Amino acid sequence: MGGFFGIVSQQQCNADLFYGTDYQSHLGTKRAGMATFSVENGFYRSIHNLENTYFRTRFEPELDRFVGNSGIGVISDTDAQPMLMNSHLGRFALVTVAKINNMEQLAQALLSENMHLSEFSSGKINPTELVALLIIKGKDFVDGINNVFRQIEGSCSMLLLTEDGIIAARDSWGRTPIVVGKRAGAMAVTSESTAFPNLDFETVHFLGPGEIIRIREHGMETLRQRN
């Protein structure tokens, strides 16, 4: 299992990102990560092991390093994430909640195309890195996400932190939820709406299976209709 949280705001987002991600802590026990983006400083990312401590204990001491108005965070029971990528699509950070049954076959296909898998800290293929490589095979982010949906056997929901907001995509089968929230000057997206009330967000949309959206600080746009 796992859960994620993302926010795009007119203001610095690190405190909201910290608490919004912490609300996902019951969904995973092994690793957590956060990434932010600012025009001045670019991307900043940190990943920590949670097996012997709590999310807040790990991330609170470095909270001031997460500079920017947009960010994503994840609690994971499997892989180290977010992944940071630089490709023809631009720079982005990626978090996933995924159960991919054909990872080995997909990895071999990518390797045969002279692509590489670098993240083996857990001794296994990192499914988030695998998804990132499938995304960058697309002509744009939506085409890349559709490529993920076509090729994986299983399910994958994701958040992409880009230089122009956050893209959220719900798995084609609708097995994992994604919900969008709004407040004055900010938009957020998360696995569970319980993250919203204490951060003053109002739930405004539940993504349908296969739906892809982009959030910016003032609103949401649909990039792909639900299945």
Side-chain angles (χ1 to χ4, degrees):
M1 286 293 293
F4 49 54
F5 182 89
I7 180 171
V8 185
S9 174
Q10 291 179 321
Q11 310 297 325
Q12 286 289 322
C13 72
N14 56 350
D16 288 326
L17 178 63
F18 174 77
Y19 289 113
T21 305
D22 185 43
Y23 286 128
Q24 316 299 314
S25 292
H26 64 289
L27 296 173
T29 59
K30 290 188 177 181
R31 292 179 179 85
M34 297 197 305
T36 52
F37 172 76
S38 72
V39 175
E40 298 78 13
N41 299 292
F43 288 85
Y44 178 78
R45 174 193 67 172
S46 183
I47 301 169
H48 288 295
N49 191 308
L50 300 183
E51 291 180 291
N52 297 310
T53 188
Y54 299 104
F55 174 85
R56 294 192 181 192
T57 305
R58 287 294 194 191
F59 286 90
E60 199 163 28
E62 62 177 326
L63 193 56
D64 290 342
R65 299 181 187 178
F66 292 95
V67 177
N69 292 4
S70 59
I72 56 176
V74 64
I75 303 287
S76 177
D77 245 352
T78 54
D79 47 312
Q81 46 175 322
M83 299 298 300
L84 288 180
M85 305 295 290
N86 190 9
S87 73
H88 71 101
L89 302 178
R91 297 179 297 167
F92 66 96
L94 172 71
V95 296
T96 67
V97 175
K99 179 67 171 75
I100 302 173
N101 299 320
N102 59 333
M103 280 201 298
E104 290 289 345
Q105 297 95 316
L106 291 174
Q108 289 303 315
L110 291 168
L111 292 172
S112 71
E113 297 171 3
N114 297 323
M115 302 184 81
H116 70 280
L117 294 160
S118 59
E119 179 53 66
F120 278 90
S121 59
S122 64
K124 300 178 181 178
I125 295 170
N126 185 316
T128 302
E129 182 180 22
L130 188 71
V131 169
L133 294 179
L134 292 173
I135 289 172
I136 63 177
K137 293 183 70 176
K139 65 179 185 292
D140 54 36
F141 284 120
V142 173
D143 187 49
I145 294 169
N146 283 330
N147 184 48
V148 175
F149 289 162
R150 285 192 301 269
Q151 295 211 38
I152 67 167
E153 296 175 6
S155 66
C156 178
S157 292
M158 67 190 84
L159 299 181
L160 290 83
L161 174 64
T162 75
E163 296 169 293
D164 182 25
I166 293 173
I167 296 172
R170 187 181 180 191
D171 71 281
S172 295
W173 299 100
R175 291 169 177 160
T176 51
I178 300 182
V179 57
V180 180
K182 182 179 182 178
R183 74 178 187 210
M187 297 290 294
V189 61
T190 184
S191 301
E192 293 197 347
S193 59
T194 52
F196 286 157
N198 289 339
L199 299 175
D200 295 324
F201 281 95
E202 175 189 359
T203 297
V204 295
H205 182 68
F206 288 89
L207 272 69
E211 186 175 357
I212 305 173
I213 59 110
R214 186 201 313 268
I215 60 168
R216 301 183 179 94
E217 62 267 33
H218 294 300
M220 178 192 85
E221 65 173 316
T222 299
L223 303 179
R224 180 188 190 270
Q225 296 289 340
R226 62 181 295 163
N227 294 341

